[in-house]
Each structure stands twice: as structure tokens, then as C-alpha cells.
Amino acid sequence: MTWFRRARASPEVEDPSSVVVGREVTAISFVHDFIEIHLDDVILTGYTEPFGTIGCQGVGPSSITQLVGRCVEAFSVTNEYVALDSGEDRLGFPIGGPSATGPESVRLHRPAHHELGIPGAHWIW
């Protein structure tokens, strides 16, 4: 499994957008005080308060669920946030800031598929 923090990126670690872009959002889970975005077997977990626009509304529990069934067209990682874009919809999670409750703000996990030669990967911001 590859462990990666934004500050320790290395050339041999694949770009996390290659794991996310083109996948369909298959489920949204609200777990305690964080949100999981399921993209088949890949899971993006946001531990900070989300932001963005979905439809013509802000981001909230009822609007986030509208992403189910949509395809991720872009995945952005900056020093301030991690965000998914699907058409005109954007769901982002701040990295750090006032809504952070611990050292991790966002996590992306891809399980291994050894039979296909695909290693597991885990990105943490």
C-alpha cells in the first residue's frame, strides 16, 4: 500500500485524480461527523465541513445526495482544499481551517486488486 501526504509527494506515486476522474458516485454516507463519497470501491472521506454548489443550492445533506449517479469530471487538490467536480456541481473539503478536528482533513482510499496487479493506495491531506 502506498501512503502519501501532500508534503511528501514523490514522482513514483500516481496522481490521485487518475483514481477518481471518470468514476461514478455510487453512494454518499454520513458517518458521525464526516462524509464518505463512494466511487465504486474508491472512497473519498471528508473530515472538514464541505463547501461548494450542487444544483442551484449550497452544500448540505439533501443536496450532497444528488451527486449519486453522477460522473466525476475533475478532481482538484490545492493547499487549501480537495474538490470533486461533476458538470456544474462542486463538492469540496477544506484542508485544515476552523472545521478541522484532527490532523487529517481529507482521505482518499483505493483498495488493492492483486489479481489485476493494482496496488492499494491511500492519500491523506
Side-chain angles (χ1 to χ4, degrees):
M1 184 181 299
T2 302
W3 288 87
F4 164 77
R5 281 197 183 271
R6 168 172 49 90
R8 291 184 287 168
S10 62
E12 65 272 2
V13 176
E14 70 184 295
D15 179 9
S17 65
S18 68
V19 174
V20 177
V21 173
R23 289 186 180 260
E24 181 180 319
V25 176
T26 55
I28 308 285
S29 297
F30 299 93
V31 185
H32 300 289
D33 59 348
F34 59 91
I35 300 169
E36 289 182 342
I37 311 299
H38 294 253
L39 308 156
D40 293 323
D41 58 350
V42 172
I43 300 174
L44 177 72
T45 306
Y47 296 103
T48 52
E49 188 175 332
F51 67 89
T53 304
I54 299 174
C56 294
Q57 10 179 356
V59 171
S62 62
S63 65
I64 291 174
T65 58
Q66 294 175 25
L67 292 175
V68 174
R70 298 201 184 155
C71 183
V72 176
E73 296 176 6
F75 183 70
S76 307
V77 177
T78 71
N79 288 332
E80 288 93 31
Y81 64 85
V82 173
L84 296 171
D85 291 292
S86 177
E88 295 190 16
D89 301 321
R90 171 169 262 209
L91 174 63
F93 296 95
I95 296 173
S99 66
T101 58
E104 297 179 8
S105 296
V106 184
R107 181 179 62 192
L108 178 64
H109 177 258
R110 180 193 63 205
H113 294 284
H114 299 292
E115 67 281 2
L116 300 174
I118 300 171
H122 201 148
W123 292 266
I124 299 170
W125 297 276

